[in-house]
Amino acid sequence: MQQGLRIAASVLAADFSRLGEEVRAIADAGADWLHVDVMDGHFVPNLTIGAGVVAALRPHSTRPFDVHLMVTPPDPYVEPFAEAGADCITVHAEAGAHLHRTLQRIKGAGKRAGVALNPATPVSAIEPVLGDVDLVLVMSVNPGFGGQTFIASQLGKIEALRALIDAGGRAVDLSVDGGIDERTAGLAAGVGADVLVAGSASFAGGPSAYPGNVARLRAAGEAGRTGSPGTRARPRSIGAAVS
């Protein structure tokens, strides 16, 4: 069943020169989770942070750390990020040959396990392991960089995953990451997302703006869920709205 709406602020968009302060500020502003993008310059064309940075940030917030591993192979990174303080570790279905084994490794480390799907990866990729995951992450941009435009076709994927998760009867979080702002938050939530990962829209304007940023994202998502006019749309009808 669908869970309560949560805003996961992506620290990729934070000011890296004062990252601890940024984490505290966005948590104080009302963000429910801290989303941490880990990129290796191989699986995706960018290089970000390692487990040491997560460990350094952990004392700055009690919010759940949602660590998104955009790395291949993912297995060697599971234990270091678990020990650094990750609460959920998400790996890509495309990143390794033995997805089930990787998920069991995450569970064995005592952490929630997630699977991410790139825009071109079909819903069927998650079906064999759906009973083993705590979170499914739909990439609504091609991973690797922040600030990209939401890919409208992913709304159909979110909707299909929502139906698949609900049919399974387990509480699995359905997250969407990429191009989430006040416009697209309602669209994603309206077709079933319950975790909205937002970087630029969370951290725009500096710390004084963070409470308003988070509040507007949450309001847009909740409006999409309740079907307020202009926010809830079916996948086939929204191309013009987000292009």
Side-chain angles (χ1 to χ4, degrees):
M1 63 181 174
Q2 194 166 8
Q3 307 298 298
L5 185 72
R6 281 141 296 162
I7 305 300
S10 175
V11 300
L12 184 65
D15 181 350
F16 270 49
S17 70
R18 46 192 294 275
L19 205 49
E21 297 171 44
E22 290 278 75
V23 163
R24 291 196 303 273
I26 200 70
D28 290 344
D32 302 292
W33 294 2
L34 280 304
H35 184 87
V36 183
D37 287 314
V38 178
M39 307 181 191
D40 65 357
H42 176 61
F43 180 67
V44 294
N46 200 358
L47 188 66
T48 56
I49 65 176
V53 175
V54 172
L57 290 177
R58 185 70 273 184
H60 291 275
S61 178
T62 59
R63 293 288 197 274
F65 276 23
D66 175 31
V67 173
H68 175 195
L69 297 183
M70 288 172 269
V71 303
T72 185
D75 287 32
Y77 297 93
V78 169
E79 285 81 10
F81 279 97
E83 292 167 5
D87 295 285
C88 179
I89 298 176
T90 296
V91 297
H92 273 259
E94 311 86 2
H98 305 290
L99 180 57
H100 181 269
R101 180 182 297 165
T102 303
L103 293 172
Q104 293 305 305
R105 189 164 184 162
I106 296 170
K107 294 284 197 178
K111 305 300 177 180
R112 301 178 77 239
V115 174
L117 302 178
N118 281 338
T121 302
V123 170
S124 58
I126 198 72
E127 291 187 65
V129 296
L130 190 60
D132 300 290
V133 303
D134 302 293
L135 178 145
V136 179
L137 175 61
V138 174
M139 293 303 302
S140 45
V141 298
N142 287 295
F145 298 95
Q148 298 184 66
T149 301
F150 188 95
I151 299 173
S153 63
Q154 299 311 293
L155 290 173
K157 183 185 290 182
I158 296 167
E159 186 172 46
L161 283 164
R162 177 80 273 153
L164 189 64
I165 290 168
D166 289 351
R170 293 179 60 245
V172 176
D173 291 318
L174 180 52
S175 182
V176 59
D177 181 5
I180 293 295
D181 55 23
E182 290 179 56
R183 261 190 329 147
T184 55
L187 296 171
V191 292
D194 44 32
V195 180
L196 304 175
V197 179
S200 300
S202 295
F203 286 98
S208 64
Y210 296 169
N213 294 346
V214 173
R216 285 189 293 272
L217 286 167
R218 194 182 308 280
E222 294 290 3
R225 283 183 139 191
T226 58
S228 297
T231 58
R232 190 177 181 95
R234 309 308 293 171
R236 61 178 175 276
S237 69
I238 51 75
V242 297
S243 61

